[in-house]
Amino acid sequence: MTDGAASTAPAGSTVTVLGLGEMGTALVGAFLDGGHPTTVWNRTPEKADALVAKGAQRAANVRDAVAAGSLVVVSVKGNENARALLESAGDALDGRAVVNLTDGTSAEAKAVAEWAESRGVAYLHGQIMTIAPGVGSPETVVFYGGERAVYDRHRAALDLLGGRGSLIAADAGVPALYGMAVHGTMWGALNGFLHAAALLSSEGIEVKEFLEQAGPSVSALLGSFPMIADEVDRGEYATPYGALQHHLPSAEDLVRESRARGINAEFPGFTVGLVIRALEEGHAEDSYARLIEHFRRP
Ligand SMILES: NC(=O)c1ccc[n+]([C@@H]2O[C@H](COP(=O)([O-])OP(=O)(O)OC[C@H]3O[C@@H](n4cnc5c(N)ncnc54)[C@H](OP(=O)(O)O)[C@@H]3O)[C@@H](O)[C@H]2O)c1
């Protein structure tokens, strides 16, 4: 690594952003607002126009763009494209630190990190946990993976993207996993909520009205996650109350209610299937977290 020095990059250090889609454009805005001279490049050059008007420097090609920034941030579609762009910069990458904020699988992120390492380029992979308008918010979470010295050196600039950024692992693939874990949880919860909304609206109940009453119950769900996490981490599922056998009647009621109203019962039906299988396997007295075994199977 050529950027391994633990010293901090000076305030207002030069930044380059490759990729000016919805996300890249927001990233540039945050760097400019934070006082960093920012050079930009995009495959379709016109997308830089508005940013140039705000004070960004336009580079004619990737190589010039990379040469202009001590910190090079990449945000494009797909890590194959991210890597190809970086490769095309050639020796302009020497002495630069790359932060790749391009989404993909953990293996794809690691492949770019391994390429960077083989090339002697300081590298972090980042998973930004917001849509573009959330970039720069003090509440925005960004997961970074890579070398601590690189993160520390560029932390001031990176914190402009999201106030809740953190280095979570030395492994550049882990941020993608964290991101997927959040999204997977989100989609599970959203699907459950939308099914519930279909159920309520079939009775003419406004979903907002439901939330006014049931909000605390729904919010309490998040409070159960630390206990589930602990059980899964320990692999112990004994519980004195709320065991799997007690979930089955309620889940079956939900399926019956849905069918009776002509509402898609696939989502609660999936839950019923999981619980029945666990009961058949002898886990009736275990907590809900026992169902992790289903998700661990291929
Ligand atoms: N948008 C969000 O809210 C959001 C949120 C979290 C994470 N992300 C992630 O941020 C990254 C960028 O997303 P985005 O929303 O900004 O995407 P986008 O608006 O669809 O823009 C895609 C960007 O990738 C560039 N690109 C695509 N193929 C390329 C290639 N072969 N070579 C060079 N550049 C190429 C595009 O260049 P052209 O302009 O020339 O087409 C454009 O700059 C993705 O990994 C996305 O998953 C986005």
Side-chain angles (χ1 to χ4, degrees), residues 19-25 41-44 47 75-78 81 85 101-104 127-133:
L20 304 175
E22 203 172 284
M23 180 50 73
T25 298
W41 176 90
N42 193 59
R43 181 180 63 175
T44 308
K47 285 197 189 164
S75 172
V76 291
K77 268 231 160 2
N81 292 330
L85 284 183
L101 295 173
T102 301
D103 287 355
Q127 181 75 40
I128 191 152
M129 301 304 295
T130 184
I131 54 173

PDB file of all heavy atoms in Angstrom, residues 19-25 41-44 47 75-78 81 85 101-104 127-133, ligand 1:
ATOM      1  N   GLY A  19     -17.823   8.746 -11.881  1.00  0.00           N
ATOM      2  CA  GLY A  19     -19.212   8.277 -11.926  1.00  0.00           C
ATOM      3  C   GLY A  19     -20.131   9.341 -11.356  1.00  0.00           C
ATOM      4  O   GLY A  19     -20.057   9.661 -10.165  1.00  0.00           O
ATOM      5  N   LEU A  20     -20.954   9.913 -12.223  1.00  0.00           N
ATOM      6  CA  LEU A  20     -21.857  10.996 -11.809  1.00  0.00           C
ATOM      7  C   LEU A  20     -23.302  10.618 -12.085  1.00  0.00           C
ATOM      8  O   LEU A  20     -24.057  11.358 -12.705  1.00  0.00           O
ATOM      9  CB  LEU A  20     -21.493  12.296 -12.538  1.00  0.00           C
ATOM     10  CG  LEU A  20     -20.042  12.767 -12.359  1.00  0.00           C
ATOM     11  CD1 LEU A  20     -19.775  13.987 -13.235  1.00  0.00           C
ATOM     12  CD2 LEU A  20     -19.742  13.084 -10.888  1.00  0.00           C
ATOM     13  N   GLY A  21     -23.661   9.427 -11.625  1.00  0.00           N
ATOM     14  CA  GLY A  21     -25.073   9.054 -11.637  1.00  0.00           C
ATOM     15  C   GLY A  21     -25.741   9.765 -10.476  1.00  0.00           C
ATOM     16  O   GLY A  21     -25.219  10.735  -9.920  1.00  0.00           O
ATOM     17  N   GLU A  22     -26.892   9.246 -10.091  1.00  0.00           N
ATOM     18  CA  GLU A  22     -27.629   9.859  -8.988  1.00  0.00           C
ATOM     19  C   GLU A  22     -26.751   9.928  -7.728  1.00  0.00           C
ATOM     20  O   GLU A  22     -26.680  10.959  -7.055  1.00  0.00           O
ATOM     21  CB  GLU A  22     -28.854   8.980  -8.728  1.00  0.00           C
ATOM     22  CG  GLU A  22     -29.973   9.657  -8.059  1.00  0.00           C
ATOM     23  CD  GLU A  22     -31.187   8.745  -8.040  1.00  0.00           C
ATOM     24  OE1 GLU A  22     -31.838   8.606  -9.088  1.00  0.00           O
ATOM     25  OE2 GLU A  22     -31.464   8.173  -6.978  1.00  0.00           O
ATOM     26  N   MET A  23     -26.074   8.823  -7.448  1.00  0.00           N
ATOM     27  CA  MET A  23     -25.271   8.771  -6.218  1.00  0.00           C
ATOM     28  C   MET A  23     -23.995   9.593  -6.346  1.00  0.00           C
ATOM     29  O   MET A  23     -23.660  10.388  -5.463  1.00  0.00           O
ATOM     30  CB  MET A  23     -24.947   7.306  -5.875  1.00  0.00           C
ATOM     31  CG  MET A  23     -24.132   7.110  -4.630  1.00  0.00           C
ATOM     32  SD  MET A  23     -24.752   7.981  -3.169  1.00  0.00           S
ATOM     33  CE  MET A  23     -26.185   7.041  -2.729  1.00  0.00           C
ATOM     34  N   GLY A  24     -23.253   9.412  -7.451  1.00  0.00           N
ATOM     35  CA  GLY A  24     -21.991  10.135  -7.622  1.00  0.00           C
ATOM     36  C   GLY A  24     -22.202  11.643  -7.560  1.00  0.00           C
ATOM     37  O   GLY A  24     -21.401  12.376  -6.958  1.00  0.00           O
ATOM     38  N   THR A  25     -23.282  12.109  -8.143  1.00  0.00           N
ATOM     39  CA  THR A  25     -23.589  13.546  -8.127  1.00  0.00           C
ATOM     40  C   THR A  25     -23.779  14.029  -6.687  1.00  0.00           C
ATOM     41  O   THR A  25     -23.280  15.096  -6.303  1.00  0.00           O
ATOM     42  CB  THR A  25     -24.860  13.812  -8.975  1.00  0.00           C
ATOM     43  OG1 THR A  25     -24.578  13.420 -10.317  1.00  0.00           O
ATOM     44  CG2 THR A  25     -25.272  15.267  -8.942  1.00  0.00           C
ATOM     45  N   TRP A  41     -15.363  13.053 -13.219  1.00  0.00           N
ATOM     46  CA  TRP A  41     -15.370  12.440 -14.558  1.00  0.00           C
ATOM     47  C   TRP A  41     -16.587  11.539 -14.647  1.00  0.00           C
ATOM     48  O   TRP A  41     -16.932  10.862 -13.675  1.00  0.00           O
ATOM     49  CB  TRP A  41     -14.110  11.593 -14.793  1.00  0.00           C
ATOM     50  CG  TRP A  41     -14.169  10.893 -16.129  1.00  0.00           C
ATOM     51  CD1 TRP A  41     -13.722  11.365 -17.323  1.00  0.00           C
ATOM     52  CD2 TRP A  41     -14.752   9.605 -16.397  1.00  0.00           C
ATOM     53  NE1 TRP A  41     -13.987  10.460 -18.325  1.00  0.00           N
ATOM     54  CE2 TRP A  41     -14.625   9.370 -17.780  1.00  0.00           C
ATOM     55  CE3 TRP A  41     -15.377   8.637 -15.613  1.00  0.00           C
ATOM     56  CZ2 TRP A  41     -15.078   8.211 -18.398  1.00  0.00           C
ATOM     57  CZ3 TRP A  41     -15.847   7.476 -16.217  1.00  0.00           C
ATOM     58  CH2 TRP A  41     -15.688   7.271 -17.593  1.00  0.00           C
ATOM     59  N   ASN A  42     -17.212  11.559 -15.810  1.00  0.00           N
ATOM     60  CA  ASN A  42     -18.319  10.644 -16.066  1.00  0.00           C
ATOM     61  C   ASN A  42     -18.264  10.206 -17.519  1.00  0.00           C
ATOM     62  O   ASN A  42     -17.870  10.988 -18.394  1.00  0.00           O
ATOM     63  CB  ASN A  42     -19.661  11.332 -15.777  1.00  0.00           C
ATOM     64  CG  ASN A  42     -20.798  10.321 -15.738  1.00  0.00           C
ATOM     65  OD1 ASN A  42     -20.782   9.391 -14.930  1.00  0.00           O
ATOM     66  ND2 ASN A  42     -21.774  10.485 -16.622  1.00  0.00           N
ATOM     67  N   ARG A  43     -18.658   8.955 -17.756  1.00  0.00           N
ATOM     68  CA  ARG A  43     -18.639   8.426 -19.136  1.00  0.00           C
ATOM     69  C   ARG A  43     -19.428   9.338 -20.074  1.00  0.00           C
ATOM     70  O   ARG A  43     -19.013   9.628 -21.173  1.00  0.00           O
ATOM     71  CB  ARG A  43     -19.225   7.009 -19.123  1.00  0.00           C
ATOM     72  CG  ARG A  43     -19.236   6.344 -20.465  1.00  0.00           C
ATOM     73  CD  ARG A  43     -19.816   4.958 -20.369  1.00  0.00           C
ATOM     74  NE  ARG A  43     -21.224   4.977 -19.928  1.00  0.00           N
ATOM     75  CZ  ARG A  43     -21.996   3.909 -19.849  1.00  0.00           C
ATOM     76  NH1 ARG A  43     -21.497   2.730 -20.143  1.00  0.00           N
ATOM     77  NH2 ARG A  43     -23.247   4.002 -19.451  1.00  0.00           N
ATOM     78  N   THR A  44     -20.592   9.775 -19.601  1.00  0.00           N
ATOM     79  CA  THR A  44     -21.386  10.752 -20.362  1.00  0.00           C
ATOM     80  C   THR A  44     -21.047  12.127 -19.789  1.00  0.00           C
ATOM     81  O   THR A  44     -21.516  12.493 -18.704  1.00  0.00           O
ATOM     82  CB  THR A  44     -22.897  10.461 -20.187  1.00  0.00           C
ATOM     83  OG1 THR A  44     -23.131   9.083 -20.491  1.00  0.00           O
ATOM     84  CG2 THR A  44     -23.738  11.346 -21.077  1.00  0.00           C
ATOM     85  N   LYS A  47     -23.135  15.082 -17.828  1.00  0.00           N
ATOM     86  CA  LYS A  47     -23.669  14.963 -16.469  1.00  0.00           C
ATOM     87  C   LYS A  47     -22.836  15.757 -15.466  1.00  0.00           C
ATOM     88  O   LYS A  47     -23.245  15.940 -14.321  1.00  0.00           O
ATOM     89  CB  LYS A  47     -23.747  13.492 -16.047  1.00  0.00           C
ATOM     90  CG  LYS A  47     -24.888  12.751 -16.710  1.00  0.00           C
ATOM     91  CD  LYS A  47     -25.201  11.468 -15.980  1.00  0.00           C
ATOM     92  CE  LYS A  47     -26.180  10.623 -16.769  1.00  0.00           C
ATOM     93  NZ  LYS A  47     -26.218   9.243 -16.292  1.00  0.00           N
ATOM     94  N   SER A  75     -18.154   5.580  -8.034  1.00  0.00           N
ATOM     95  CA  SER A  75     -19.558   5.224  -7.852  1.00  0.00           C
ATOM     96  C   SER A  75     -20.176   5.026  -9.226  1.00  0.00           C
ATOM     97  O   SER A  75     -20.645   5.982  -9.844  1.00  0.00           O
ATOM     98  CB  SER A  75     -20.282   6.341  -7.088  1.00  0.00           C
ATOM     99  OG  SER A  75     -21.677   6.089  -7.071  1.00  0.00           O
ATOM    100  N   VAL A  76     -20.105   3.790  -9.711  1.00  0.00           N
ATOM    101  CA  VAL A  76     -20.691   3.484 -11.021  1.00  0.00           C
ATOM    102  C   VAL A  76     -21.577   2.247 -10.892  1.00  0.00           C
ATOM    103  O   VAL A  76     -21.758   1.712  -9.791  1.00  0.00           O
ATOM    104  CB  VAL A  76     -19.588   3.249 -12.095  1.00  0.00           C
ATOM    105  CG1 VAL A  76     -18.865   4.549 -12.403  1.00  0.00           C
ATOM    106  CG2 VAL A  76     -18.624   2.156 -11.679  1.00  0.00           C
ATOM    107  N   LYS A  77     -22.095   1.779 -11.987  1.00  0.00           N
ATOM    108  CA  LYS A  77     -22.933   0.584 -11.965  1.00  0.00           C
ATOM    109  C   LYS A  77     -22.041  -0.633 -12.144  1.00  0.00           C
ATOM    110  O   LYS A  77     -21.494  -0.854 -13.212  1.00  0.00           O
ATOM    111  CB  LYS A  77     -23.948   0.634 -13.114  1.00  0.00           C
ATOM    112  CG  LYS A  77     -25.260   1.253 -12.761  1.00  0.00           C
ATOM    113  CD  LYS A  77     -26.434   0.373 -13.164  1.00  0.00           C
ATOM    114  CE  LYS A  77     -27.734   0.662 -12.464  1.00  0.00           C
ATOM    115  NZ  LYS A  77     -27.807   1.738 -11.515  1.00  0.00           N
ATOM    116  N   GLY A  78     -21.838  -1.412 -11.092  1.00  0.00           N
ATOM    117  CA  GLY A  78     -21.132  -2.679 -11.211  1.00  0.00           C
ATOM    118  C   GLY A  78     -19.640  -2.570 -10.949  1.00  0.00           C
ATOM    119  O   GLY A  78     -18.956  -1.665 -11.443  1.00  0.00           O
ATOM    120  N   ASN A  81     -17.141  -2.624 -13.897  1.00  0.00           N
ATOM    121  CA  ASN A  81     -16.932  -1.296 -14.501  1.00  0.00           C
ATOM    122  C   ASN A  81     -16.020  -0.440 -13.622  1.00  0.00           C
ATOM    123  O   ASN A  81     -15.163   0.292 -14.122  1.00  0.00           O
ATOM    124  CB  ASN A  81     -18.268  -0.584 -14.712  1.00  0.00           C
ATOM    125  CG  ASN A  81     -19.109  -1.264 -15.776  1.00  0.00           C
ATOM    126  OD1 ASN A  81     -18.570  -1.869 -16.702  1.00  0.00           O
ATOM    127  ND2 ASN A  81     -20.422  -1.197 -15.633  1.00  0.00           N
ATOM    128  N   LEU A  85     -12.431   1.042 -14.891  1.00  0.00           N
ATOM    129  CA  LEU A  85     -12.110   2.480 -14.863  1.00  0.00           C
ATOM    130  C   LEU A  85     -10.787   2.713 -14.153  1.00  0.00           C
ATOM    131  O   LEU A  85      -9.923   3.458 -14.628  1.00  0.00           O
ATOM    132  CB  LEU A  85     -13.201   3.252 -14.120  1.00  0.00           C
ATOM    133  CG  LEU A  85     -14.523   3.488 -14.848  1.00  0.00           C
ATOM    134  CD1 LEU A  85     -15.439   4.333 -13.969  1.00  0.00           C
ATOM    135  CD2 LEU A  85     -14.279   4.185 -16.177  1.00  0.00           C
ATOM    136  N   LEU A 101     -17.379   2.994  -3.847  1.00  0.00           N
ATOM    137  CA  LEU A 101     -18.727   2.959  -3.255  1.00  0.00           C
ATOM    138  C   LEU A 101     -19.722   2.300  -4.207  1.00  0.00           C
ATOM    139  O   LEU A 101     -20.918   2.581  -4.161  1.00  0.00           O
ATOM    140  CB  LEU A 101     -19.187   4.378  -2.917  1.00  0.00           C
ATOM    141  CG  LEU A 101     -18.378   5.105  -1.837  1.00  0.00           C
ATOM    142  CD1 LEU A 101     -18.834   6.557  -1.709  1.00  0.00           C
ATOM    143  CD2 LEU A 101     -18.517   4.410  -0.484  1.00  0.00           C
ATOM    144  N   THR A 102     -19.190   1.420  -5.060  1.00  0.00           N
ATOM    145  CA  THR A 102     -20.048   0.740  -6.043  1.00  0.00           C
ATOM    146  C   THR A 102     -20.630  -0.522  -5.426  1.00  0.00           C
ATOM    147  O   THR A 102     -19.904  -1.347  -4.859  1.00  0.00           O
ATOM    148  CB  THR A 102     -19.202   0.387  -7.284  1.00  0.00           C
ATOM    149  OG1 THR A 102     -18.657   1.603  -7.810  1.00  0.00           O
ATOM    150  CG2 THR A 102     -20.026  -0.328  -8.331  1.00  0.00           C
ATOM    151  N   ASP A 103     -21.938  -0.691  -5.562  1.00  0.00           N
ATOM    152  CA  ASP A 103     -22.605  -1.856  -4.963  1.00  0.00           C
ATOM    153  C   ASP A 103     -22.352  -3.130  -5.761  1.00  0.00           C
ATOM    154  O   ASP A 103     -22.144  -3.090  -6.969  1.00  0.00           O
ATOM    155  CB  ASP A 103     -24.120  -1.640  -4.930  1.00  0.00           C
ATOM    156  CG  ASP A 103     -24.539  -0.618  -3.882  1.00  0.00           C
ATOM    157  OD1 ASP A 103     -23.665  -0.157  -3.126  1.00  0.00           O
ATOM    158  OD2 ASP A 103     -25.741  -0.295  -3.832  1.00  0.00           O
ATOM    159  N   GLY A 104     -22.447  -4.244  -5.069  1.00  0.00           N
ATOM    160  CA  GLY A 104     -22.328  -5.559  -5.699  1.00  0.00           C
ATOM    161  C   GLY A 104     -22.220  -6.603  -4.613  1.00  0.00           C
ATOM    162  O   GLY A 104     -22.470  -6.316  -3.438  1.00  0.00           O
ATOM    163  N   GLN A 127     -20.018   0.825   1.640  1.00  0.00           N
ATOM    164  CA  GLN A 127     -21.432   0.547   1.343  1.00  0.00           C
ATOM    165  C   GLN A 127     -22.238   1.681   1.945  1.00  0.00           C
ATOM    166  O   GLN A 127     -22.309   1.814   3.174  1.00  0.00           O
ATOM    167  CB  GLN A 127     -21.829  -0.787   1.973  1.00  0.00           C
ATOM    168  CG  GLN A 127     -23.248  -1.196   1.709  1.00  0.00           C
ATOM    169  CD  GLN A 127     -23.441  -1.697   0.283  1.00  0.00           C
ATOM    170  OE1 GLN A 127     -22.586  -2.398  -0.252  1.00  0.00           O
ATOM    171  NE2 GLN A 127     -24.539  -1.321  -0.340  1.00  0.00           N
ATOM    172  N   ILE A 128     -22.815   2.492   1.078  1.00  0.00           N
ATOM    173  CA  ILE A 128     -23.521   3.670   1.574  1.00  0.00           C
ATOM    174  C   ILE A 128     -24.993   3.314   1.760  1.00  0.00           C
ATOM    175  O   ILE A 128     -25.636   2.813   0.852  1.00  0.00           O
ATOM    176  CB  ILE A 128     -23.269   4.877   0.641  1.00  0.00           C
ATOM    177  CG1 ILE A 128     -23.759   6.160   1.263  1.00  0.00           C
ATOM    178  CG2 ILE A 128     -23.833   4.709  -0.746  1.00  0.00           C
ATOM    179  CD1 ILE A 128     -23.004   7.388   0.799  1.00  0.00           C
ATOM    180  N   MET A 129     -25.498   3.572   2.959  1.00  0.00           N
ATOM    181  CA  MET A 129     -26.825   3.070   3.338  1.00  0.00           C
ATOM    182  C   MET A 129     -27.881   4.165   3.269  1.00  0.00           C
ATOM    183  O   MET A 129     -28.629   4.389   4.223  1.00  0.00           O
ATOM    184  CB  MET A 129     -26.763   2.469   4.750  1.00  0.00           C
ATOM    185  CG  MET A 129     -25.771   1.331   4.885  1.00  0.00           C
ATOM    186  SD  MET A 129     -26.059  -0.004   3.711  1.00  0.00           S
ATOM    187  CE  MET A 129     -27.647  -0.599   4.260  1.00  0.00           C
ATOM    188  N   THR A 130     -27.893   4.842   2.128  1.00  0.00           N
ATOM    189  CA  THR A 130     -28.942   5.852   1.934  1.00  0.00           C
ATOM    190  C   THR A 130     -29.183   6.023   0.452  1.00  0.00           C
ATOM    191  O   THR A 130     -28.353   5.602  -0.367  1.00  0.00           O
ATOM    192  CB  THR A 130     -28.531   7.214   2.533  1.00  0.00           C
ATOM    193  OG1 THR A 130     -29.614   8.139   2.401  1.00  0.00           O
ATOM    194  CG2 THR A 130     -27.318   7.800   1.836  1.00  0.00           C
ATOM    195  N   ILE A 131     -30.291   6.666   0.119  1.00  0.00           N
ATOM    196  CA  ILE A 131     -30.471   7.111  -1.257  1.00  0.00           C
ATOM    197  C   ILE A 131     -29.810   8.489  -1.371  1.00  0.00           C
ATOM    198  O   ILE A 131     -29.461   9.108  -0.356  1.00  0.00           O
ATOM    199  CB  ILE A 131     -31.967   7.138  -1.655  1.00  0.00           C
ATOM    200  CG1 ILE A 131     -32.777   7.971  -0.678  1.00  0.00           C
ATOM    201  CG2 ILE A 131     -32.510   5.722  -1.749  1.00  0.00           C
ATOM    202  CD1 ILE A 131     -34.222   8.180  -1.100  1.00  0.00           C
ATOM    203  N   ALA A 132     -29.673   8.964  -2.614  1.00  0.00           N
ATOM    204  CA  ALA A 132     -28.859  10.163  -2.863  1.00  0.00           C
ATOM    205  C   ALA A 132     -29.186  11.363  -1.954  1.00  0.00           C
ATOM    206  O   ALA A 132     -28.263  12.006  -1.437  1.00  0.00           O
ATOM    207  CB  ALA A 132     -28.953  10.544  -4.337  1.00  0.00           C
ATOM    208  N   PRO A 133     -30.453  11.689  -1.712  1.00  0.00           N
ATOM    209  CA  PRO A 133     -30.718  12.894  -0.884  1.00  0.00           C
ATOM    210  C   PRO A 133     -30.198  12.760   0.549  1.00  0.00           C
ATOM    211  O   PRO A 133     -30.044  13.771   1.236  1.00  0.00           O
ATOM    212  CB  PRO A 133     -32.259  12.993  -0.883  1.00  0.00           C
ATOM    213  CG  PRO A 133     -32.711  12.188  -2.052  1.00  0.00           C
ATOM    214  CD  PRO A 133     -31.700  11.112  -2.239  1.00  0.00           C
TER     215      PRO A 133
HETATM  216  N1  LIG B   1     -28.962   6.049  -6.325  1.00  0.00           N
HETATM  217  C1  LIG B   1     -29.009   5.669  -5.054  1.00  0.00           C
HETATM  218  O1  LIG B   1     -29.858   6.123  -4.286  1.00  0.00           O
HETATM  219  C2  LIG B   1     -27.998   4.680  -4.522  1.00  0.00           C
HETATM  220  C3  LIG B   1     -28.070   4.323  -3.154  1.00  0.00           C
HETATM  221  C4  LIG B   1     -27.105   3.471  -2.622  1.00  0.00           C
HETATM  222  C5  LIG B   1     -26.123   2.967  -3.446  1.00  0.00           C
HETATM  223  N2  LIG B   1     -26.097   3.298  -4.782  1.00  0.00           N
HETATM  224  C6  LIG B   1     -25.050   2.699  -5.596  1.00  0.00           C
HETATM  225  O2  LIG B   1     -24.263   3.721  -6.196  1.00  0.00           O
HETATM  226  C7  LIG B   1     -23.742   3.231  -7.442  1.00  0.00           C
HETATM  227  C8  LIG B   1     -24.103   4.230  -8.536  1.00  0.00           C
HETATM  228  O3  LIG B   1     -25.525   4.239  -8.593  1.00  0.00           O
HETATM  229  P1  LIG B   1     -26.387   5.427  -9.207  1.00  0.00           P
HETATM  230  O4  LIG B   1     -27.714   5.371  -8.560  1.00  0.00           O
HETATM  231  O5  LIG B   1     -25.605   6.688  -9.196  1.00  0.00           O
HETATM  232  O6  LIG B   1     -26.557   4.878 -10.685  1.00  0.00           O
HETATM  233  P2  LIG B   1     -27.079   5.634 -11.971  1.00  0.00           P
HETATM  234  O7  LIG B   1     -27.747   6.923 -11.618  1.00  0.00           O
HETATM  235  O8  LIG B   1     -27.833   4.635 -12.748  1.00  0.00           O
HETATM  236  O9  LIG B   1     -25.709   5.967 -12.689  1.00  0.00           O
HETATM  237  C9  LIG B   1     -24.852   4.933 -13.083  1.00  0.00           C
HETATM  238  C10 LIG B   1     -23.459   5.488 -13.209  1.00  0.00           C
HETATM  239  O10 LIG B   1     -22.597   4.428 -13.626  1.00  0.00           O
HETATM  240  C11 LIG B   1     -21.950   4.848 -14.834  1.00  0.00           C
HETATM  241  N3  LIG B   1     -21.640   3.684 -15.654  1.00  0.00           N
HETATM  242  C12 LIG B   1     -22.444   2.660 -15.966  1.00  0.00           C
HETATM  243  N4  LIG B   1     -21.790   1.782 -16.736  1.00  0.00           N
HETATM  244  C13 LIG B   1     -20.545   2.281 -16.930  1.00  0.00           C
HETATM  245  C14 LIG B   1     -19.415   1.848 -17.640  1.00  0.00           C
HETATM  246  N5  LIG B   1     -19.405   0.700 -18.319  1.00  0.00           N
HETATM  247  N6  LIG B   1     -18.307   2.614 -17.599  1.00  0.00           N
HETATM  248  C15 LIG B   1     -18.286   3.776 -16.917  1.00  0.00           C
HETATM  249  N7  LIG B   1     -19.327   4.257 -16.225  1.00  0.00           N
HETATM  250  C16 LIG B   1     -20.456   3.504 -16.238  1.00  0.00           C
HETATM  251  C17 LIG B   1     -22.947   5.772 -15.496  1.00  0.00           C
HETATM  252  O11 LIG B   1     -22.341   6.541 -16.491  1.00  0.00           O
HETATM  253  P3  LIG B   1     -23.262   7.245 -17.621  1.00  0.00           P
HETATM  254  O12 LIG B   1     -23.820   8.477 -16.987  1.00  0.00           O
HETATM  255  O13 LIG B   1     -22.318   7.525 -18.726  1.00  0.00           O
HETATM  256  O14 LIG B   1     -24.342   6.255 -18.009  1.00  0.00           O
HETATM  257  C18 LIG B   1     -23.378   6.582 -14.279  1.00  0.00           C
HETATM  258  O15 LIG B   1     -22.398   7.510 -13.900  1.00  0.00           O
HETATM  259  C19 LIG B   1     -24.366   1.853  -7.672  1.00  0.00           C
HETATM  260  O16 LIG B   1     -23.495   0.844  -7.241  1.00  0.00           O
HETATM  261  C20 LIG B   1     -25.599   1.905  -6.778  1.00  0.00           C
HETATM  262  O17 LIG B   1     -26.034   0.623  -6.401  1.00  0.00           O
HETATM  263  C21 LIG B   1     -26.998   4.148  -5.327  1.00  0.00           C
END
